[in-house]
């Protein structure tokens, strides 16, 4: 049995015999086949190597939709983070922030850690690890994907001791499985029998997220730890009653980016309010970097409409605590922020607010907006709709989120 399995594991193709051998090995080890089984339809791996969390979340939803379209298990990558003073990216396990179980209500998934520890040596042995890319990358004269060139690419794959023995160019195939027969083309060209694992150098998804994949956000649920911390902050640090959650994107890098927004009408997450074909207008500097006057007027309007008792501010730089506090002092509305920076906790709190105001261009704001859309909660954007009075928009948040505590 062992000698036969040894031969089977070395075959180029992913066969029924290799699956049987792997299953037998699991049983001999006393493990549960129900918890650890090979997916004969194959797997999708990718490096979430573009941008920070907001961008990676957009790509994740697209990758989830793509995996569903190809009927392959999606291997949940860790989140790539950049810590101050660290020369290389840090890989944070997917379930450090999100529950895995809700995703399985939509499609088959497994964490990268589980896949590499329990399945990779069998379904994706080191001598068969091919990286996928649309075309050669890494500069002129490159003939391969160079999937590990640069940061975070190298550190990401190195975290799991993954090296590639070759490259595969999948162009002209694409990732839009919703409006074409491209899924059939992928299956025909890369059958799971011959290609049990498709490992992409970058995310198999578009940015910003396709409209068809936006509502997949309902399966992306904060884990119990994050959610409980958000509830504890609201209960322990804010007065009981409705509150407004706002996101202020105003760091130096953002200031520079907004200088070019009028020449890039679809910059970053702009389609979330302007439409994917700019059917609701074109981006302006005020939309990208709203003035303090716009921010104050908008917040005051929403506070008044929902009878808010507090405002929670998430920001990458200036939280405007003094400005907002002074503007809302007469209404006895308190202004709050986290003492220590924690973007994921910021997002979880914003998701629980009675009304959220975000930045149309920001993918961070887009995350909060999608989460709230999936739950039927109201949101709006600074300086949008265009050419309207600050504060206009959907402010029908009369419920009090504290009731669920």
């Amino acid at each position: 049995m062992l000698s036969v399995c040894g031969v089977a594991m070395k075959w180029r193709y992913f066969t029924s015999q290799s699956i049987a051998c792997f299953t037998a090995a699991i049983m001999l080890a006393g493990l549960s086949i129900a918890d650890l089984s090979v997916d004969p339809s194959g797997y999708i791996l990718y490096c979430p190597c573009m941008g920070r969390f907001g961008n990676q979340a957009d790509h994740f939803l697209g990758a989830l939709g793509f995996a569903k379209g190809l009927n392959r298990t999606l291997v949940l990558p860790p989140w790539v983070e950049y810590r101050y003073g660290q020369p290389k990216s840090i890989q944070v396990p997917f379930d450090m922030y999100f529950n895995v179980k809700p995703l399985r209500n939509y499609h088959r998934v497994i964490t990268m850690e589980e896949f590499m520890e329990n399945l990779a040596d069998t379904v994706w042995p080191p001598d068969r690890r091919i990286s996928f890319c649309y075309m050669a990358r890494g500069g002129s004269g490159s003939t391969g994907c160079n999937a590990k060139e640069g940061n975070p690419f190298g550190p990401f794959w190195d975290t799991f001791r993954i090296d590639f023995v070759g490259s595969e160019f999948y162009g002209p195939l694409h990732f839009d499985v919703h409006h074409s027969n491209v899924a059939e083309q992928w299956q025909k060209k890369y059958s799971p029998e011959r290609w049990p694992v498709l490992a992409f150098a970058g995310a198999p998804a578009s940015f910003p997220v396709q409209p068809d994949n936006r509502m997949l956000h309902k399966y992306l649920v904060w884990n119990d730890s994050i959610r409980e911390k958000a509830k504890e902050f609201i209960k322990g640090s804010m007065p009981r009653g409705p509150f407004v959650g706002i996101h202020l994107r105003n760091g130096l890098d953002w200031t520079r980016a907004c200088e070019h927004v009028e020449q890039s009408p679809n910059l970053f997450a702009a389609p979330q309010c302007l439409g994917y074909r700019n059917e609701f207008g074109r981006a302006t500097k005020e939309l990208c970097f709203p003035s303090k006057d716009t921010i104050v007027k908008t917040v005051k309007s929403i506070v008044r409409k929902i009878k808010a008792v507090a405002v929670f501010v998430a920001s990458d730089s200036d939280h405007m605590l003094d400005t907002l506090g002074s503007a809302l002092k007469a209404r006895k509305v308190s202004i709050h922020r986290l003492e220590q920076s924690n973007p994921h906790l910021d997002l979880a709190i914003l998701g629980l607010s009675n009304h959220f105001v975000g930045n149309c261009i920001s993918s961070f704001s887009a995350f909060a907006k999608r989460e709230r859309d999936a739950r039927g909660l109201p949101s709006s954007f600074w300086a949008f709709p265009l050419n309207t009075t600050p504060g206009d928009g959907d402010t029908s948040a009369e419920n009090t989120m504290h009731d669920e505590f």
Side-chain angles (χ1 to χ4, degrees), residues 263-339:
Q263 289 74 46
S264 304
N266 288 316
L267 185 66
F268 303 140
Q272 69 175 324
C273 66
L274 297 175
Y276 285 78
R277 296 178 300 279
N278 294 119
E279 55 266 40
F280 303 115
R282 294 177 65 85
T284 64
K285 289 184 179 179
E286 182 71 4
L287 192 72
C288 187
F289 200 95
S291 65
K292 289 187 177 182
D293 185 56
T294 291
I295 293 168
V296 168
K297 288 182 178 179
T298 301
V299 172
K300 288 177 69 174
S301 175
I302 295 173
V303 163
R304 182 176 61 255
K305 288 181 180 180
I306 71 170
K307 298 179 175 60
V309 299
V311 174
F312 175 78
V313 186
S315 177
D316 61 323
S317 183
D318 181 8
H319 289 74
M320 290 180 55
L321 300 186
D322 292 339
T323 301
L324 291 169
S326 177
L328 296 169
K329 184 177 180 179
R331 298 190 67 88
K332 298 181 180 180
V333 174
S334 56
I335 315 300
H336 305 266
R337 60 160 295 184
L338 295 178
E339 290 187 9

Side-chain angles (χ1 to χ4, degrees), residues 40-53:
S41 296
Y43 298 84
I44 289 176
L45 278 72
Y46 74 93
C47 175
C49 288
M50 188 197 86
R52 296 182 184 270
F53 178 76

Side-chain angles (χ1 to χ4, degrees), residues 46-178:
Y46 74 93
C47 175
C49 288
M50 188 197 86
R52 296 182 184 270
F53 178 76
N55 297 44
Q56 293 174 41
D58 269 51
H59 272 159
F60 170 73
L61 297 180
L64 181 62
F66 180 67
K68 175 80 168 181
L70 268 59
N71 192 32
R72 287 175 174 260
T73 292
L74 178 63
V75 178
L76 303 174
W79 302 96
V80 174
E81 297 186 358
Y82 306 89
R83 307 282 175 81
Y84 180 77
Q86 295 285 346
K88 298 180 180 179
S89 63
I90 305 297
Q91 279 56 244
V92 178
F94 184 91
D95 54 5
M96 183 67 73
Y97 303 131
F98 299 100
N99 285 331
V100 173
K101 187 176 180 180
L103 291 166
R104 292 181 176 140
N105 292 328
Y106 175 72
H107 189 57
R108 303 182 305 280
V109 297
I110 184 175
T111 66
M112 187 84 158
E113 292 76 14
E114 291 174 319
F115 177 80
M116 292 306 300
E117 181 177 354
N118 301 315
L119 297 174
D121 286 346
T122 298
V123 302
W124 198 44
D127 62 349
R128 292 186 56 196
R129 293 178 180 174
I130 306 296
S131 63
F132 276 63
C133 56
Y134 189 85
M135 61 178 65
R137 58 180 295 274
S140 60
S142 174
T143 58
C145 292
N146 293 307
K148 296 182 64 175
E149 181 177 315
N151 181 33
F153 298 92
F156 176 84
W157 298 110
D158 282 341
T159 297
F160 302 96
R161 298 185 295 279
I162 294 173
D163 290 310
F164 295 101
V165 298
S167 299
E168 175 69 18
F169 304 136
Y170 60 81
L173 295 180
H174 55 82
F175 310 130
D176 184 2
V177 296
H178 301 289

Side-chain angles (χ1 to χ4, degrees), residues 28-42:
L28 288 172
L31 300 176
S32 169
I33 297 177
D35 294 336
L36 189 63
S37 57
V38 174
D39 184 355
S41 296

